Structure formats: structure tokens, C-alpha cells
Amino acid sequence: MNTDFKATVEALIFASDSPLSVDKIARVLEVERTLVQAAVEELSVDCSHRGINLFKLAGGYQFMTSRRFYPMVLKMKDTDRSLSLSQAAFETLAIVSYRQPITSQEVAAMRGVQSVSNILRNLQALELIRIAGRKDVIGRPMLYRTSQKFLELFGLNSLGDLPSLEEIGVNDS
Amino acid sequence: MDFSPTFDLELQLEGFNGPLDMLLHLVRKQKMAIADISIAPITEQYAEYLNRMEELNLDIAGDYFVMASTLMLMKAKSMIPREQEAFEEMREELIFQLEEYEKVLTQAGKLRERHKEISRSFPRSYKEKIEKEDWEFKVGDNGAFLLVEHYARVVERRKALRPILIRPKPYTMKDVLSLLFSVFAEKRKVRFSALARVRERGFVVYLFVSMLELVREGALKATQTDTFSEIILQRRTIFTEEKQEQLVARFE
């Protein structure tokens, strides 16, 4: 592989604010996406032992510090990246992520409460969920889905990467 | 029944995330499979937990009471032979709900773990968003003029925010009402327009309100033949001075 090409891809990924997709890189560089894919995979191997690793997130690639150096980086940054969500918020987010698209009423029913609209509003403010149309029933309630940012913040490449219940040892029939 | 409120319970009560959470806790405490849930004892325990929460002055969401009444309804149905079928249906529904909720808890836990794990890696801190924000204030060669412009804008804004002065009226509701009393002490019949003549709007409003007040109290009778036509005011009784003072006092 042309080292300059690989370095270009590296530069693009580094300069992007959010995970950069192979398609986008291919469009920018006006090359075949298979070429980009190959470069990305090499880059990933190249930096696997470095302080920054290449992460596959939300359908793209992003450089982030290696998990191994978390304590030191944290000490330098002084603030944790993690969201402080209540248990109720995590439950609500879990319901939306596993059963999307879903209405507010359906989420509330699953949690056995009358309303989750406040929690949904907060999750929306955090850009973890978004409104994705309306359900075609009486009242046309809004449907919620998880966002790109949700995938990023939960280390998922796509919704298909959500840990399945079988994987955790629960029978989901 | 092995139910005794303990210190442990007090800690636990605040931590429930809703009625299903509490119910699941009770089922687990009994070391029972969800599918084997027996309604009567669970209903009692649930009610006891609720009572305890009330004693502790915890802020209990209405959701908990909805569940309590559902449980009690089920318990009642379970004791009526011809309601057996309906009871079984409700029980199945509750079991389904609890099992689904248990899955949600597992999934929420899994999400929490994933989030914790990925949060141990940091992306670049640089945020394009901040850069892209509309920062109008760029100081160049004309910096000083820009500063004056901004200052002028601040001054303009302050002007816009200046409070509107409300000037006190030269008369009060009390005055207008007293005036009406003095007019009708002499005359029996007066046209509204005659009273309102040459006075400004505020006075007319006060006059109108006073008129309505006196009509209500039975001191005057108002007649109008058509919309927007002249209102004729007629005296019905003359109030004693004491009664007049009473009415006037309402508008202190």
C-alpha cells in the first residue's frame, strides 16, 4: 500500500470531529471504498500498540486514547467522559434502543409507569435519542429512535452490535 | 410470611425505580420464579411496602398506587369462582410485564457497562461546533469602531428595556363611586353619556364598573334599547350613608 495514501486517510480521520465513514473518505479522496477499507484496517493494526487506537464507532472510524492509559489521561483531563444517568434513564434508553421505533406510551407501559416524557426529553436534550416520525395510530404519537451519538457514546458500530439477551444468558423468546 | 420491615428495607425503598421494580424485588425476595407468582401474598407485601413508604414520608409516585389497585383487583377476582378466567388473564399479563421488565433491567445494565467501557477512551477534545459558532465579534483594524458599535447596541437595548412608567390617575374608583352617589342623591334619571362627557378613557372605565356595581346592588337600573345605544340610568333606592360607605370601602 502507498504509505502516503494511508497517511492521508489517517489525517482525515484525525481531523474529523466524529467517527468518519469509509464512504465519506472514499468520496473526499475520489477513490474506491475497498482501497480505503484496506488502508483503515492497516491503520488499525499499526496503532494497536500506540497511545491512540482506531475505534470502529457509529458506522465510522475515530481515533481515541487507548483504554490502557485511562487512569493517566483521566488525571490529566480531570473530568470523566461518562454520562451520569439515573437508573430510570438507563432503563428508558435500553427500551428505546432495543425496541425502536417506539412511542412514549409504549416505553411507559414497559416500565410500568404512567409517563416517561420527562426522561425522554432529557435523553433528547443529551442527543441520545431523536424523534423519527409518528406512529400511524389514533393520536399519531411520536416515535423515538436512538441517535448516532448514542452509538458513539456506547461504543457501538451499529444497532446490530447491541448485546443480545442470549449473549447475556437470558432467553429472549 | 417472612416479612419484617428492617433497616435494610428503609434503604431499599428509596431506590425503587417504579412499581415493577418493587414488585420484582418482592418476587425475588421470595425466591420465586416470576411465572410462579402468587398474587395474594405479593399483594399484601406490596401494600405493606407502600405503607412503610408513606410512614417514611417518601414522595410516592402515583404509579405505585395504580399497581396496588391492580393487584387488589386481581386478588379480589381470584376469590370469585366465575372470575377465575379473568383473573388468570390478568395474572398472565402481569407475568409477561414482569418478565419483559426483567429483560429491560438486563439490557440497561449491559448498556451501562458498554458506556463505562468506551468512556475509558478519550477522543480529541477539539470541537468543531465551537469553531463554527457564529462569532461576529472579530477585531481587525477597525477594532475601536466595532467597539463603539457594540456599545451603541448595548445602549439601545437598555433603552428598550426601560420600564414603562405608570402614572397614577388623578382619581380612584372610590372617587368615581362617590361621585355617582352624589349625582343620584339629586337626580332620578341620568344618561350615561352625560356623566362620561369630556372625561378621558380611564374615567369612563371606572364609571362603567361603578355603574355595574350599583346595578348589581340594586341602587340603579340600567336600560339600553340597542347595542352601543345610550344607557339610561335610573335610581331605584337611595342607600343609607352607612351602606354607601360600605360599598366605597370595597375599592380601598
Side-chain angles (χ1 to χ4, degrees):
Chain A
M1 164 140 341
N2 182 336
T3 0
D4 238 23
F5 178 69
K6 200 162 79 181
T8 314
V9 173
E10 186 179 28
L12 291 189
I13 296 173
F14 178 78
S16 172
D17 204 26
S18 47
L20 195 60
S21 72
V22 168
D23 280 340
K24 178 87 188 269
I25 300 170
R27 261 203 313 281
V28 171
L29 299 179
E30 295 175 7
V31 293
E32 285 293 312
R33 61 182 308 285
T34 47
L35 214 59
V36 177
Q37 189 62 52
V40 161
E41 268 154 33
E42 271 190 38
L43 275 174
S44 181
V45 175
D46 289 352
C47 61
S48 57
H49 295 291
R50 298 185 40 195
I52 53 166
N53 298 155
L54 193 56
F55 285 74
K56 196 173 183 187
L57 288 176
Y61 290 87
Q62 186 172 32
F63 284 115
M64 292 209 282
T65 58
S66 169
R67 198 168 305 153
R68 284 187 292 149
F69 310 117
Y70 172 67
M72 283 71 90
V73 180
L74 182 68
K75 203 169 157 191
M76 184 273 290
K77 300 211 72 132
D78 227 25
T79 47
D80 202 319
R81 260 184 91 212
S82 56
L83 302 158
S84 55
L85 292 180
S86 65
Q87 172 63 18
F90 262 110
E91 283 175 24
T92 305
L93 190 59
I95 294 170
V96 175
S97 59
Y98 278 86
R99 290 161 184 83
Q100 56 188 305
I102 191 167
T103 67
S104 169
Q105 219 5 269
E106 289 162 344
V107 176
M110 288 213 71
R111 290 201 51 232
V113 297
Q114 299 301 301
S115 164
V116 289
S117 38
N118 275 332
I119 300 177
L120 286 177
R121 212 169 304 130
N122 286 339
L123 292 176
Q124 231 183 310
L126 289 167
E127 294 174 46
L128 292 172
I129 61 169
R130 63 196 168 85
I131 292 164
R134 289 172 178 276
K135 191 168 184 172
D136 220 357
V137 293
I138 295 165
R140 309 211 358 99
M142 286 190 279
L143 286 165
Y144 292 89
R145 277 185 179 282
T146 51
S147 63
Q148 282 291 109
K149 195 172 170 192
F150 164 78
L151 293 176
E152 277 178 49
L153 288 179
F154 286 81
L156 303 165
N157 185 41
S158 71
L159 287 176
D161 286 349
L162 279 170
S164 70
L165 286 172
E166 284 89 351
E167 203 176 297
I168 322 166
V170 179
N171 183 20
D172 188 16
S173 46
Chain B
M1 203 176 309
D2 67 302
F3 181 78
S4 53
T6 58
F7 179 67
D8 171 54
L9 172 62
E10 290 187 22
L11 281 180
Q12 178 67 55
L13 284 175
E14 284 192 76
F16 286 123
N17 283 300
L20 285 177
D21 198 22
M22 191 153 109
L23 208 53
L24 200 59
H25 168 80
L26 291 174
V27 173
R28 282 174 179 165
K29 218 178 147 201
Q30 292 218 324
K31 299 192 169 64
M32 209 190 261
I34 293 175
D36 299 332
I37 187 171
S38 52
I39 301 303
I42 282 286
T43 304
E44 257 169 64
Q45 288 174 17
Y46 187 93
E48 270 190 78
Y49 263 50
L50 266 191
N51 286 340
R52 194 86 187 96
M53 281 163 94
E54 276 188 314
E55 277 168 32
L56 291 170
N57 286 320
L58 294 180
D59 193 14
I60 312 170
D63 305 326
Y64 287 94
F65 294 106
V66 175
M67 177 61 79
S69 61
T70 307
L71 287 173
M72 280 182 234
L73 179 66
M74 285 172 75
K75 192 180 159 191
K77 279 186 190 287
S78 74
M79 290 186 287
I80 305 168
R82 67 183 157 79
E83 291 285 339
Q84 276 308 305
E85 209 171 301
F87 165 70
E88 276 305 325
E89 238 169 64
M90 282 184 86
R91 186 168 170 276
E92 286 302 317
E93 175 70 32
L94 186 70
I95 288 171
F96 178 74
Q97 229 187 341
L98 277 173
E99 283 175 343
E100 285 294 296
Y101 182 68
E102 205 178 31
K103 283 180 200 164
V104 169
L105 284 183
T106 318
Q107 289 164 334
K110 207 69 199 164
L111 278 186
R112 198 191 278 275
E113 269 171 44
R114 291 294 297 230
H115 177 60
K116 218 175 144 187
E117 204 178 294
I118 196 71
S119 297
R120 297 171 84 85
S121 291
F122 291 83
R124 246 177 341 111
S125 322
Y126 166 79
K127 283 279 169 239
E128 280 167 16
K129 267 185 204 142
I130 296 169
E131 185 78 355
K132 277 182 190 159
E133 286 279 354
D134 233 352
W135 289 103
E136 283 182 359
F137 198 68
K138 283 209 180 91
V139 182
D141 290 342
N142 295 325
F145 291 100
L146 219 63
L147 202 59
V148 170
E149 232 178 83
H150 276 267
Y151 180 61
R153 222 177 288 166
V154 172
V155 172
E156 280 297 318
R157 202 175 310 147
R158 273 189 67 91
K159 255 190 219 160
L161 288 175
R162 199 166 292 165
I164 300 158
L165 284 179
I166 299 167
R167 257 168 297 150
K169 297 272 182 216
Y171 40 79
T172 63
M173 271 297 290
K174 266 176 76 178
D175 299 335
V176 177
L177 199 59
S178 307
L179 177 81
L180 264 183
F181 279 130
S182 63
V183 169
F184 283 99
E186 292 167 19
K187 300 191 173 177
R188 283 197 57 242
K189 204 171 181 180
V190 181
R191 283 180 298 142
F192 186 82
S193 65
L195 290 171
R197 192 168 37 197
V198 218
R199 314 278 191 156
E200 50 99 29
R201 191 201 302 235
F203 179 83
V204 179
V205 173
Y206 282 7
L207 189 65
F208 191 75
V209 175
S210 306
M211 176 197 86
L212 291 179
E213 190 67 18
L214 291 185
V215 168
R216 194 175 67 140
E217 292 296 328
L220 298 179
K221 185 182 163 198
T223 14
Q224 190 181 29
T225 50
D226 218 342
T227 318
F228 300 123
S229 71
E230 181 65 78
I231 302 169
I232 313 279
L233 293 172
Q234 279 173 282
R235 185 180 71 201
R236 295 178 69 186
T237 46
I238 295 181
F239 282 162
T240 58
E241 241 168 71
E242 197 186 341
K243 174 87 180 172
Q244 286 187 17
E245 269 168 32
Q246 236 176 22
L247 281 177
V248 170
R250 279 188 200 168
F251 296 98
E252 287 284 2

